[in-house]
Amino acid sequence: MKLHHVLESQQFTVPLLMELFDRTRVMEKIVARGGTRDWENKVMTTLFYKPSTRTRMSFESAMYRLGGKVLATEQAQEFSSEVEGEQLEDTIRIVADYCDLIVLRHHEAGGARRAAAVSGVPVFNAGDGAGGQHPTQALLDLYTIYNECKKLDGLSVALIGALDQGRTARSLAYLLGKFDRTKLYFIAPPEMQVKQDILEHLEQHNVVYELASSTDKIIENVDVVYQTRIDRARLHGSEIDLTSYNIDKTVLRRLRSNAIIMHPLPRSVEIASDVDGDPRAAYFRQTRNGLFVRMALLTMVFEKE
Ligand code: CP
């Protein structure tokens, strides 16, 4: 199936997701045997205007494992011509002449769409702004859920954190809403609850959801806990007790034995480090899957060029 730009989760159909996941399993085998040189004529640019560890490095590793080459600007806000006032559109037009694909993390929601509108090569949205999207993260999240739960229909998923701005949870909600009998719980402080655009989309697609400000009576009934960070600075001195959103050993005792805990990372205090050894803690398996899913995405685009 055709894949060019990757800008938002909504663009992925269920058949396209299944094709991606089949291909991802092949990529796991390719990495296990030391990679391939099949894509040695391809050049990928990582153009990152905001910090990243996992997304940038897994994309770069993916390209190297495929035999390709990487042009990297990891602090584009400082080391690109944006410092001289250059517009994103001009930068993209120029960089597109030097490579076959651009992976962009931008500080504005909608930045990736602006880039795609002028780019001569495919653009992958690697996270745009607060309240934007992070579709390749959501794809690796969904792949992890599929691997761990062995199904994608009929799942109950709790998304926890600052859901108004959390682009990973936003992108994942769109993907989960494509499957039958999904139930989503959005658990957040009321001032950080998920935005109306997501809820309207879920309603249009008959997806059942519930909004909550506490994990009580929910956490024990879900298949997946998707934890994200809450930036304390955004609370402006409010007395709200953020520790009630944290995952620790007490919460583990309430979780189903076959539930999984995910987190896009980086984490702060919202998952205690003594949870890491529990077999239900899937977040390091999740980050590893990022390499394979991103390799699969790159090959899907390069093959269709
Ligand atoms: N999950 C994620 O996007 O991590 P990075 O910010 O390290 O890329």
Side-chain angles (χ1 to χ4, degrees):
M1 258 172 263
K2 193 160 171 47
L3 189 62
H4 190 65
H5 301 302
V6 174
L7 301 179
E8 58 182 23
S9 289
Q10 301 94 302
Q11 76 185 78
F12 285 85
T13 60
V14 171
L16 186 56
L17 290 168
M18 293 304 128
E19 183 182 334
L20 174 68
F21 294 165
D22 286 347
R23 194 177 280 254
T24 299
R25 291 186 215 296
V26 174
M27 296 302 141
E28 292 193 33
K29 293 194 179 86
I30 287 176
V31 171
R33 65 167 197 252
T36 173
R37 306 245 42 98
D38 282 358
W39 304 101
E40 63 186 354
N41 293 329
K42 295 290 184 187
V43 177
M44 176 190 80
T45 297
T46 48
L47 184 60
F48 276 57
Y49 289 85
K50 297 294 281 181
S52 166
T53 300
R54 281 143 289 271
T55 311
R56 184 178 64 77
M57 295 183 82
S58 63
F59 262 116
E60 292 180 6
S61 177
M63 196 58 185
Y64 288 126
R65 299 275 188 197
L66 293 169
K69 297 167 186 70
V70 176
L71 294 176
T73 308
E74 63 192 73
Q75 293 187 53
Q77 74 280 19
E78 200 178 335
F79 296 119
S80 78
S81 298
E82 189 183 66
V83 176
E84 314 287 346
E86 184 168 77
Q87 291 296 303
L88 175 67
E89 282 79 359
D90 281 0
T91 306
I92 293 293
R93 280 188 188 98
I94 293 152
V95 172
D97 281 340
Y98 305 152
C99 66
D100 302 293
L101 184 142
I102 297 171
V103 181
L104 173 72
R105 175 166 289 185
H106 199 250
H107 37 73
E108 286 175 25
R113 189 165 289 285
R114 277 175 56 199
V118 297
S119 178
V121 298
V123 172
F124 281 10
N125 179 3
D128 59 343
Q133 281 213 34
H134 194 347
T136 69
Q137 175 72 45
L139 292 167
L140 76 90
D141 293 341
L142 193 72
Y143 181 72
T144 302
I145 293 170
Y146 197 22
N147 265 357
E148 303 270 335
C149 300
K150 310 296 178 208
K151 62 176 188 175
L152 288 168
D153 290 323
L155 291 175
S156 295
V157 180
L159 299 143
I160 309 175
L163 302 178
D164 57 339
Q165 295 192 356
R167 56 196 178 203
T168 64
R170 287 171 52 77
S171 287
L172 183 58
Y174 280 119
L175 287 187
L176 289 167
K178 293 179 183 293
F179 294 89
D180 291 340
R181 293 171 286 106
T182 297
K183 171 124 196 212
L184 298 179
Y185 296 94
F186 295 102
I187 304 173
E191 54 273 67
M192 297 181 181
Q193 192 45 274
V194 69
K195 285 198 257 184
Q196 205 57 32
D197 60 336
I198 300 278
L199 300 182
E200 281 169 11
H201 178 90
L202 296 176
E203 282 160 24
Q204 280 162 12
H205 293 83
N206 299 314
V207 181
V208 178
Y209 69 83
E210 207 173 299
L211 305 183
S213 57
S214 153
T215 60
D216 289 348
K217 299 191 181 65
I218 295 175
I219 209 94
E220 41 272 72
N221 295 318
V222 297
D223 303 293
V224 178
V225 175
Y226 191 86
Q227 177 69 303
T228 65
R229 264 176 306 158
I230 299 178
D231 180 4
R232 178 167 286 282
R234 286 187 58 209
L235 291 171
H236 306 298
S238 152
E239 291 302 306
I240 192 161
D241 177 17
L242 287 183
T243 59
S244 67
Y245 295 93
N246 292 354
I247 308 287
D248 56 17
K249 288 256 176 178
T250 319
V251 175
L252 280 187
R253 282 194 281 277
R254 291 164 52 205
L255 266 187
R256 285 181 184 167
S257 59
N258 61 349
I260 58 165
I261 304 164
M262 299 176 65
H263 192 308
L265 304 179
R267 71 172 151 182
S268 175
V269 296
E270 65 278 2
I271 298 182
S273 56
D274 60 5
V275 172
D276 297 354
D278 191 286
R280 293 168 291 182
Y283 29 93
F284 294 120
R285 298 191 290 277
Q286 182 185 349
T287 50
R288 182 164 168 75
N289 287 336
L291 171 65
F292 309 128
V293 169
R294 287 172 172 136
M295 286 174 74
L297 281 169
L298 291 171
T299 63
M300 276 174 95
V301 171
F302 291 151
E303 264 181 27
K304 306 288 155 80
E305 294 288 286

